[in-house]
Amino acid sequence: MDAPNSLVLAVIGVAMMLTGYFLYSKFLAKKVYKLNAEFKTPSHEFNDGVDYVPTNRYVLWGHHFTSVAGAAPIVGPAVAVIWGWLPAFLWVTIGTVFIAGMHDMGALWASQRNKGQSIGTLSGRYIGPRGRNLFLVVVFLLLLMVVCAFAVVISNLLVAQPGAVIPTWGALIVALLVGQAIYRFRMNLLLVTAVGVVALYALIVLGDSFPVTLPDEFLGLNPNGQWIVLLFIYAAVASLLPVWVLLQPRDYINGVQLFIGLGILYGATLIATPTVVAPAINNNLPEDAPSIVPLLFVTIACGAISGFHGTVATGTTSKQLDRETDAKFVGYFGAVGEGLLALGAIIACTAGFQTVAQWEEIYSSFSAGGVPVFVEGGGAIVNSGLGIPVSLSATILATMAVLFAATTMDTGVRLMRFVVQEIGEIAKVRINIYAGTAVAVLVAGALTFSQGADGSGGMLIWPLFGTTNQLLAALTMGIITVMLLRKRRPFLPVLIPMVFVLVMSLYAALVQIGNFFQAENWLLFTLNVIILVAGTWVLVESVVAMLATRKQDPEPEDDALTPDQKLTTG
């Protein structure tokens, strides 16, 4: 296959995802989930001003998109293109349209219909108490991986790109002011957005001019360790604040800024039209590269389908949905946003270099790809297309990656607190928000620093992230399938993707168990066995629940809603 122009990939990919949003999501909303604007959402029913807050759908989209995106849709594609650009491109585009958008919208709908409950609690209702307990194990381990690994990813970026320090932390001040402007002073959203975005980009220019570095050693910690401690402190505080104070406005303004960042990358691609130098199918793989099947489908998790999305959708987003019909925009289009980021990462990592030889030199091993390759390749495209200096181009993309990862990290801590509290309920132990947050941060911090003061332990369980993430996505789709079967609605749009993702996840888990055993990596081997057993058990419980729906009476449809279940305004 001749080397394609990157613009062709961008146009085809964007067109596929937008077609999915305008056509397929409409089918899902009307025929499968039957979203009802009159249904009283949990944000109205339990409005407490802290976690349950009715939110403008554009603001909520910003929260959901930036919370679920993180660094994973950059890291995954940046690694997976080692097999060639074509498999990564197909998985990202087809996965976003037919699996990720459906999964995210479905998780939001499922939680709405169950008082904003988390996916762990929903598993208890629809597949039984044993399934719930094991489901929580998988969710907790996944969140632990996200929080630990993203703390390390952020710290590495802040050390490697010191120009991103000022915009990263300055964005928090901007977000606090945006929150006050929107909720306390009721200022015009468009005006607040414009001022906030200008402030963020001014901080990026300022940060590029004045890079910030930490001391080589402080209290026995190198710069990486120091940043990690500061990040955990920030995440703990952010997870305790009411969502409208920092979480919502930070995610919203970051979401707008990040979409502008994607616009800059895609705009530069449109002007520079760089050639994709990477092969469509790489037949010259490094010796350490694993088989493309099933590893492609777990290496690229976020950006094609991600179980973490369901955790966020049912953990925080569902508690802020103003109208149930907003789930289409927030959920499906949130997945599209992440798919566009993954597509941008593919282009940056395959067309951001001059020759095939240069690309092969970078991808000399399976672990060589990652955020630094995205920043380097993307920075070269932005410089070539828009004439922005290389240093500033790299700072823009590095800040974009850091802000994505940071919003996911603090949301992850909040969700870990929810899971800890749920586990406490099962054990009949009352755990308040402060104790739950402390447990989450201490466990994550202990693992992160378990291998040394540089925080390298945070990446220890990263090899399991993709597999666990996809397994959780499959189990979430299993719960959605049970709900649809109970309501006698079309379920194949959920069941078919569920089976595919499940098979690939279990296959990858078995492959990794063998690899960990041969390497005598007993920690990862043990965790993998726990995840595999828990996931398989939940799967069996889900199948039993699906079969049991045949003997149950159909659940009432929307036209049977009582006045208490209907949303009234004014």
Side-chain angles (χ1 to χ4, degrees):
M1 181 181 290
D2 294 335
N5 189 293
S6 58
L7 182 60
V8 174
L9 296 188
V11 170
I12 293 174
V14 172
M16 288 178 65
M17 294 184 202
L18 291 181
T19 300
Y21 175 68
F22 287 113
L23 296 181
Y24 191 56
S25 73
K26 185 177 181 180
F27 161 75
L28 293 172
K30 288 190 173 182
K31 301 297 184 181
V32 179
Y33 301 130
K34 296 185 179 180
L35 304 181
N36 187 348
E38 293 187 3
F39 179 76
K40 180 183 287 186
T41 59
S43 68
H44 287 279
E45 186 175 358
F46 307 110
N47 189 345
D48 61 5
V50 179
D51 292 319
Y52 292 86
V53 180
T55 305
N56 178 287
R57 69 174 186 155
Y58 298 104
V59 175
L60 186 57
W61 173 85
H63 156 69
H64 183 75
F65 167 53
T66 53
S67 293
V68 300
I74 297 175
V75 175
V79 172
V81 293
I82 198 168
W83 288 300
W85 63 261
L86 183 59
F89 175 80
L90 291 176
W91 177 227
V92 164
T93 51
I94 295 173
T96 296
V97 171
F98 292 105
I99 310 180
M102 170 273 295
H103 168 277
D104 290 19
M105 193 200 310
L108 269 175
W109 166 74
S111 184
Q112 290 302 290
R113 292 292 163 155
N114 289 275
K115 302 184 182 300
Q117 292 177 335
S118 73
I119 195 65
T121 302
L122 293 181
S123 64
R125 174 173 181 180
Y126 289 99
I127 62 177
R130 285 191 305 271
R132 176 195 181 189
N133 297 347
L134 293 167
F135 203 99
L136 287 174
V137 171
V138 178
V139 172
F140 183 83
L141 289 176
L142 175 65
L143 292 173
L144 182 63
M145 295 175 198
V146 168
V147 171
C148 295
F150 280 20
V152 177
V153 168
I154 296 168
S155 68
N156 288 342
L157 276 170
L158 292 178
V159 171
Q161 296 286 339
V165 172
I166 288 178
T168 295
W169 296 100
L172 299 181
I173 299 174
V174 174
L176 288 169
L177 294 175
V178 166
Q180 296 298 314
I182 294 175
Y183 289 103
R184 179 160 294 180
F185 299 109
R186 307 292 180 182
M187 295 177 67
N188 180 271
L189 179 61
L190 184 60
L191 175 63
V192 173
T193 301
V195 174
V197 169
V198 169
L200 285 177
Y201 274 94
L203 288 170
I204 290 175
V205 175
L206 182 65
D208 185 58
S209 301
F210 300 96
V212 176
T213 58
L214 295 181
D216 292 338
E217 183 177 343
F218 181 72
L219 297 178
L221 297 174
N222 65 10
N224 293 79
Q226 295 169 44
W227 281 127
I228 289 171
V229 171
L230 292 173
L231 286 165
F232 273 119
I233 293 173
Y234 153 72
V237 173
S239 70
L240 291 170
L241 292 173
V243 290
W244 69 268
V245 173
L246 180 60
L247 190 77
Q248 277 184 1
R250 180 217 54 199
D251 288 355
Y252 168 67
I253 202 68
N254 282 352
V256 175
Q257 183 262 337
L258 295 169
F259 237 64
I260 293 175
L262 282 176
I264 290 173
L265 179 58
Y266 279 102
T269 301
L270 175 64
I271 296 172
T273 62
T275 299
V276 175
V277 298
I281 303 292
N282 189 6
N283 295 315
N284 188 28
L285 290 169
E287 292 184 1
D288 65 339
S291 171
I292 188 173
V293 177
L295 270 299
L296 169 69
F297 303 101
V298 297
T299 300
I300 300 181
C302 301
I305 172 62
S306 166
F308 181 68
H309 289 207
T311 307
V312 174
T314 63
T316 60
T317 309
S318 66
K319 298 174 176 61
Q320 302 167 59
L321 207 67
D322 184 30
R323 292 181 181 272
E324 189 178 65
T325 46
D326 290 347
K328 175 175 172 284
F329 179 77
V330 175
Y332 196 102
F333 197 65
V336 168
E338 189 175 53
L340 291 174
L341 176 59
L343 177 60
I346 291 172
I347 292 172
C349 296
T350 59
F353 304 96
Q354 297 299 315
T355 63
V356 178
Q358 184 185 7
W359 183 85
E360 289 182 339
E361 182 180 354
I362 291 173
Y363 282 92
S364 58
S365 70
F366 184 68
S367 59
V371 177
V373 181
F374 166 76
V375 171
E376 181 182 352
I381 293 175
V382 172
N383 171 254
S384 175
L386 301 179
I388 299 176
V390 173
S391 174
L392 182 57
S393 297
T395 298
I396 291 173
L397 295 181
T399 301
M400 189 168 78
V402 168
L403 292 180
F404 267 126
T407 54
T408 302
M409 180 187 171
D410 57 30
T411 298
V413 171
R414 183 181 287 258
L415 294 172
M416 279 186 75
R417 183 242 296 174
F418 291 158
V419 173
V420 168
Q421 289 179 302
E422 285 190 51
I423 294 173
E425 290 177 6
I426 295 173
K428 301 191 184 305
V429 176
R430 181 177 175 79
I431 301 176
N432 62 31
I433 61 173
Y434 302 104
T437 301
V439 170
V441 171
L442 289 175
V443 171
L447 178 61
T448 304
F449 288 106
S450 63
Q451 301 298 301
D454 61 349
S456 57
M459 297 301 291
L460 194 64
I461 54 179
W462 181 259
L464 279 175
F465 168 74
T467 302
T468 308
N469 202 15
Q470 304 302 65
L471 180 60
L472 181 59
L475 298 177
T476 299
M477 286 187 279
I479 293 172
I480 296 171
T481 301
V482 173
M483 290 184 64
L484 293 173
L485 284 168
R486 286 191 178 188
K487 292 179 177 294
R488 304 297 191 265
R489 292 185 188 173
F491 61 90
L492 290 181
V494 182
L495 181 64
I496 293 173
M498 183 204 82
V499 172
F500 175 78
V501 173
L502 183 66
V503 169
M504 290 300 158
S505 302
L506 294 178
Y507 186 5
L510 291 172
V511 170
Q512 288 178 323
I513 282 180
N515 293 339
F516 296 149
F517 181 82
Q518 291 180 351
E520 297 184 353
N521 191 330
W522 303 120
L523 173 61
L524 292 184
F525 177 82
T526 303
L527 287 174
N528 204 339
V529 170
I530 292 172
I531 291 167
L532 184 61
V533 170
T536 304
W537 197 334
V538 175
L539 169 64
V540 172
E541 299 270 359
S542 299
V543 172
V544 171
M546 290 178 195
L547 296 175
T549 58
R550 297 181 179 181
K551 302 178 183 179
Q552 298 171 345
D553 294 331
E555 291 185 349
E557 286 292 356
D558 293 344
D559 55 7
L561 292 177
T562 66
D564 288 341
Q565 292 176 309
K566 290 185 178 180
L567 177 65
T568 57
T569 58

